[in-house]
């Protein structure tokens, strides 16, 4: 049944007491595990992205790794401070979308929402393929099956999230803790070493370092900064999913955001310090993180713990999208920009339809890319920079309007962040445009147009239904119930019992065909009907084309034509088998008839289900 009100029904499931509902929401620690995996996993490729760009300027260019990373860490601090304020100002979640919708207008809010949706979907595909790529690097024999493995990981993550965000957080706490502990161990142990403990991993691999260079241009530094900013994806996830936290939700979400920013900043800066300390160079076939683990911890069991933790976390980083995107989609559904089904919650506070939609689109992307990370990476991180820029611009307007103590400094901070992320968005798009980023440039406006089309459709429905206006007083119309029958049975009796309870007048109709066998069946039905004498008229409808639905629909139309103020209900009796597999034995006449009457008339359709078992029949309008 279509609902057009802006208030979205929470679910058809039985209501739970407040304490039980709260058990299905996140603590700060669980929020860090459920919503930070994307950001944490970016440690595996963020510093490497910076090094690979700077390697174009040779060893001299690598000397700028730490300054570029410090600039990224500074932007991270700005973003964390900004999103901490977003959480306080918009505790219903939505992040960039909520900020833009209030302060920059509905269309700008839709651009922010579209950018976040694209980023979340791409994050799932990139995270899964990157994790599987790390696995196949360790076990080359699995390379040919990488697409099947990718889809298997996606199914696993989806299944965990369908059980609820708390269950997903509990499942991912241990991998997250192991990964964080591994990276911090690399940093701490490495700071006490004056030379690499081992270079075994990189030995024999060709360096990708360019020839001697004596200068580094501003464009190269800007490109390195923009590439390294891929480590900032996922910072906004906590602000998008505030309603998923336990009360006080805003305070818990703020603590999670600060913890995420602090851990991510320490890991990024620490790894960059070690890159300079050990004079690491990027080589083909070996990640920078693997080289750092080798240099700091040695080529032993600790090295393999780091690699295994990285594989697992990369594969599970998709969970950030499953935590943030369904909540964002529910807000869009509340505002009539997505079908209302995305606003429904299951009994574990799960936006199940959002989870399944995300999984379906991500699976399509995995199939399209063949499980290859390099096909998807050029499309990644552009959307999130657009969202960052819009969000911080909106927060500048928010502070100007609120003028609370310290508003000027907060506005300047957000304005500075908006400039930085805006420049990064332009640079990343320009650099990656030919590599596939043009798809994002096209997809963003198309997604916004789709949102607006849905909104207009709901607007037309609301106008036809008169939502927001006081309706006329109800009046009683004459009611006629039409019951299609083909033979006498207990089902016929139950249908007529229900019909005489619903309407002022009841008519049974049967459809006959001109061939001899059907005429005999119709005559037998009429004879039995007269003997039974239920007190209900039997109307015979003739069909030349052995059609069932059209003759009944035509009869309903004639009734409306002669009696325009009569409320007509078509009650269709059907058998509901005791077992699901027995449904294939049914002829589906009820569905065909309901479709024809619904398509061609305004009659009310009531499908009476007679269950073959001890329970009574039931009706569905």
């Amino acid at each position: 049944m279509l609902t057009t009100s802006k208030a979205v029904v929470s679910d058809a499931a039985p209501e739970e007491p407040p304490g039980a509902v709260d058990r299905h929401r996140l603590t700060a620690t669980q929020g860090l595990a459920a919503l930070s995996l994307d950001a944490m996993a970016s440690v595996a490729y963020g510093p490497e992205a910076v090094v690979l760009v700077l390697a174009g300027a040779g060893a001299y260019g690598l000397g700028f790794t730490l300054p570029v990373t410090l600039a990224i860490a500074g932007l991270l601090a700005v973003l964390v401070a900004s999103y901490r304020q977003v959480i306080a100002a918009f505790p219903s979640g939505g992040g960039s979308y909520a900020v833009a919708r209030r302060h920059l207008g509905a269309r700008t809010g839709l651009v922010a929402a579209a950018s976040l949706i694209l980023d979340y979907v791409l994050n799932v595909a990139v995270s899964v393929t990157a994790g599987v790529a790390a696995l196949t690097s360790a076990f080359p024999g699995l390379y040919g099956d990488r697409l099947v493995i990718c889809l298997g990981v996606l199914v696993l993550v989806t299944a965990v999230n369908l059980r609820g965000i708390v269950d997903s957080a509990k499942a991912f706490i241990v991998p997250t803790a192991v990964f964080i502990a591994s990276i911090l161990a690399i940093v701490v142990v490495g700071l006490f070493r004056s030379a690499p403990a081992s270079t075994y991993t990189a030995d024999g691999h060709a360096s990708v370092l360019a020839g001697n260079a004596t200068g580094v241009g501003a464009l190269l530094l800007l490109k390195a900064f923009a590439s390294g900013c891929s480590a900032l994806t996922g910072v906004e996830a906590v602000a998008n999913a505030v309603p998923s936290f336990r009360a006080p939700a805003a305070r818990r979400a703020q603590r999670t955001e600060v913890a995420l920013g602090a851990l991510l900043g320490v890991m990024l800066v620490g790894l960059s310090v070690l890159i300079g300390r050990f004079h690491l160079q990027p080589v083909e076939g070996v990640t920078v993180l693997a080289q750092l683990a080798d240099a700091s911890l040695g080529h032993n069991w600790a090295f393999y713990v780091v690699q295994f933790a990285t594989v697992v976390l990369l594969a599970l980083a998709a969970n950030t999208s499953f935590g943030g995107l369904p909540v964002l989609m529910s807000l869009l559904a509340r505002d009539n920009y997505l079908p209302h089904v995305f606003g429904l919650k299951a009994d574990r506070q799960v936006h199940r339809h959002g989870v399944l939609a995300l999984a379906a689109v991500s699976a399509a992307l995995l199939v399209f890319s063949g499980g290859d990370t390099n096909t998807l990476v050029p499309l990644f991180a552009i959307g999130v920079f657009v969202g960052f820029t819009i969000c911080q611009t909106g927060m500048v307007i928010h502070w100007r309007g609120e003028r609370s103590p310290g508003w000027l400094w907060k506005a300047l901070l957000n304005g500075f962040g908006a400039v930085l992320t805006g420049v990064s968005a332009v640079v990343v798009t320009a650099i990656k445009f030919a590599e596939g980023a043009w798809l994002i440039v096209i997809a963003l406006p198309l997604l916004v147009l789709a949102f607006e089309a849905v909104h207009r459709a709901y607007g037309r429905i609301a106008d036809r239904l008169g939502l927001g206006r006081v309706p006329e007083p109800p009046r009683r119309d004459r009611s006629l119930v039409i019951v299609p029958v083909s033979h006498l049975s207990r089902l016929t009796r139950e249908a007529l019992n229900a019909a005489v309870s619903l309407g002022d007048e009841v008519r049974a109709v049967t459809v006959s065909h001109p061939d001899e066998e059907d005429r005999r069946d119709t005559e037998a039905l009429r004879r039995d009907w007269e003997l039974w004498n239920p007190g209900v008229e039997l109307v015979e409808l003739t069909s030349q084309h052995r059609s069932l639905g059209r003759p009944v629909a035509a009869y309903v139309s004639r009734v409306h034509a002669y009696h325009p103020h009569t409320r007509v209900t078509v009650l269709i009796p059907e058998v509901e088998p005791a077992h699901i597999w027995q449904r294939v034995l049914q002829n589906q006449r009820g569905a065909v008839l309901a479709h024809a009457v619904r398509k061609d008339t305004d009659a009310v359709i009531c499908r009476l289900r007679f269950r073959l078992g001890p329970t009574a029949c039931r009706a569905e309008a």
Side-chain angles (χ1 to χ4, degrees):
M1 184 174 179
L2 180 63
T3 303
T4 54
S5 171
K6 286 189 178 181
V8 179
V9 179
S10 62
D11 198 15
E15 236 180 81
E16 292 183 283
V21 172
D22 215 37
R23 285 201 303 271
H24 299 313
R25 294 194 171 124
L26 299 169
T27 64
T29 302
Q30 291 170 341
L32 192 64
L35 301 172
S36 71
L37 293 178
D38 178 16
M40 294 297 180
S42 65
V43 171
Y45 52 79
E48 184 162 4
V50 174
V51 169
L52 287 174
V53 173
L54 294 177
Y60 182 76
L62 290 179
F64 288 86
T65 301
L66 182 57
V68 170
T69 304
L70 288 173
I72 295 171
L75 178 57
L76 172 63
V78 172
L79 290 173
V80 169
S82 175
Y83 277 105
R84 190 175 182 276
Q85 298 303 323
V86 170
I87 290 168
F90 298 88
S92 296
S96 303
Y97 168 67
V99 175
R101 179 166 173 75
R102 179 181 296 182
H103 297 297
L104 298 174
R107 177 160 289 184
T108 307
L110 294 180
V111 173
S115 66
L116 287 173
I117 287 175
L118 291 173
D119 184 69
Y120 275 139
V121 172
L122 285 166
N123 171 58
V124 174
V126 169
S127 298
V128 171
T129 54
V132 173
L135 178 67
T136 55
S137 296
F139 302 97
L142 299 176
Y143 184 80
D145 300 319
R146 64 190 185 280
L147 177 57
V148 175
I149 299 173
C150 284
L151 294 173
V153 172
L154 178 61
V155 169
L156 174 64
V157 176
T158 303
V160 172
N161 278 276
L162 286 174
R163 289 188 54 81
I165 192 168
V166 171
D167 282 352
S168 71
K170 290 177 180 177
F172 301 146
I173 282 178
V174 173
T176 304
V178 171
F179 180 79
I180 293 173
S182 300
I183 301 301
L184 293 179
I186 291 174
V187 173
V188 172
V189 174
L191 291 175
F192 286 96
R193 293 192 184 277
S194 57
S198 169
T199 59
Y200 178 84
T201 305
D203 289 345
H205 292 267
S207 174
V208 298
L209 200 65
N212 293 330
T214 57
V216 175
L219 184 60
L220 185 69
L221 291 177
L222 194 60
K223 183 178 178 180
F225 173 80
S227 296
C229 279
S230 60
L232 303 181
T233 57
V235 172
E236 78 291 346
V238 176
N240 288 336
V242 178
S244 298
F245 285 85
R246 294 182 186 177
R251 191 177 304 167
R252 289 183 187 273
Q254 285 179 321
R255 287 203 292 263
T256 302
E257 186 74 55
V258 171
L260 168 60
L263 285 171
L264 184 57
V266 167
M267 290 190 290
L268 288 174
V269 174
L271 293 177
S272 297
V273 169
L274 294 186
I275 289 172
R277 189 180 186 88
F278 295 142
H279 305 290
L280 291 186
Q281 300 179 6
V283 298
E284 294 181 356
V286 179
T287 65
V288 169
L289 184 60
Q291 291 187 65
L292 287 172
D294 208 18
S296 180
L297 304 176
H299 200 79
N300 49 33
W301 63 269
F303 169 82
Y304 288 101
V305 168
V306 173
Q307 292 305 103
F308 181 72
T310 303
V311 169
V312 173
L313 201 78
L314 278 169
L316 299 182
N319 197 67
T320 298
S321 296
F322 283 98
L325 181 57
V327 175
L328 175 61
M329 294 177 75
S330 73
L331 295 177
L332 287 165
R334 180 199 64 188
D335 295 334
N336 293 334
Y337 289 108
L338 279 179
H340 289 166
V341 69
F342 291 111
L344 300 179
K345 282 186 179 180
D347 54 355
R348 290 175 176 263
Q349 301 298 303
V350 181
H351 294 95
R352 184 169 295 163
H353 295 89
V355 169
L356 291 174
L358 174 58
V361 177
S362 301
L365 273 177
L366 290 173
V367 173
F368 166 76
S369 67
D372 181 24
T373 308
N374 294 327
T375 304
L376 298 169
V377 166
L379 311 178
F380 192 44
I382 296 173
V384 74
F385 283 121
V386 174
F388 284 161
T389 306
I390 291 175
C391 181
Q392 295 196 91
T393 303
M395 288 306 293
V396 172
I397 298 174
H398 175 80
W399 297 128
R400 285 185 60 190
E402 188 177 88
R403 293 185 178 271
S404 57
W407 72 271
L408 181 59
W409 292 108
K410 294 176 181 177
L412 289 174
L413 181 67
N414 289 132
F416 179 64
V419 171
L420 288 181
T421 54
V423 170
S424 298
V426 172
V427 171
V428 172
T429 304
I431 291 171
K432 298 182 178 181
F433 188 83
E435 301 175 29
W438 59 271
L439 285 172
I440 302 299
V441 176
I442 294 174
L444 268 174
L446 289 179
L447 205 49
V448 171
L449 291 175
F451 292 152
E452 292 180 334
V454 172
H455 191 72
R456 285 194 299 272
Y458 275 128
R460 288 192 295 268
I461 294 170
D463 185 63
R464 291 288 300 275
L465 293 179
L467 292 180
R469 299 192 297 269
V470 178
E472 297 178 0
R475 70 174 188 271
R476 177 178 175 84
D477 289 332
R478 175 176 174 271
S479 59
L480 169 65
V481 182
I482 296 174
V483 183
V485 298
S486 58
H487 54 268
L488 293 186
S489 67
R490 185 180 172 189
L491 179 62
T492 309
R493 188 197 70 185
E494 293 291 346
L496 294 182
N497 284 345
V500 296
S501 302
L502 292 174
D504 299 321
E505 180 184 355
V506 177
R507 297 179 192 174
V509 299
T510 185
V511 179
S512 64
H513 307 286
D515 60 73
E516 185 66 27
E517 182 180 354
D518 283 338
R519 277 205 307 271
R520 286 199 302 269
D521 290 341
T522 303
E523 290 171 0
L525 173 61
R526 181 171 292 281
R527 184 174 57 253
D528 293 342
W529 193 271
E530 291 173 353
L531 290 173
W532 183 33
N533 191 21
V536 174
E537 178 186 0
L538 177 65
V539 178
E540 183 179 336
L541 307 177
T542 303
S543 172
Q544 299 294 328
H545 305 288
R546 305 194 65 84
S547 172
L548 178 65
R550 279 181 289 180
V552 176
Y555 180 72
V556 172
S557 298
R558 288 198 299 273
V559 170
H560 275 303
Y562 288 109
H563 306 284
H565 298 295
T566 298
R567 180 79 60 180
V568 178
T569 300
V570 179
L571 190 147
I572 304 171
E574 297 177 288
V575 172
E576 183 173 314
H579 304 286
I580 293 178
W581 66 267
Q582 293 175 338
R583 292 181 182 178
V584 299
L585 305 178
Q586 295 177 289
N587 55 26
Q588 305 304 321
R589 286 185 178 180
V592 172
L593 183 57
H595 174 74
V597 175
R598 185 180 290 112
K599 177 184 176 184
D600 298 330
T601 75
D602 293 328
V604 176
I605 307 297
C606 182
R607 300 176 70 174
L608 185 77
R609 302 292 179 85
F610 184 79
R611 181 174 293 174
L612 297 179
T615 58
C617 60
R618 57 179 180 173
E620 294 182 5

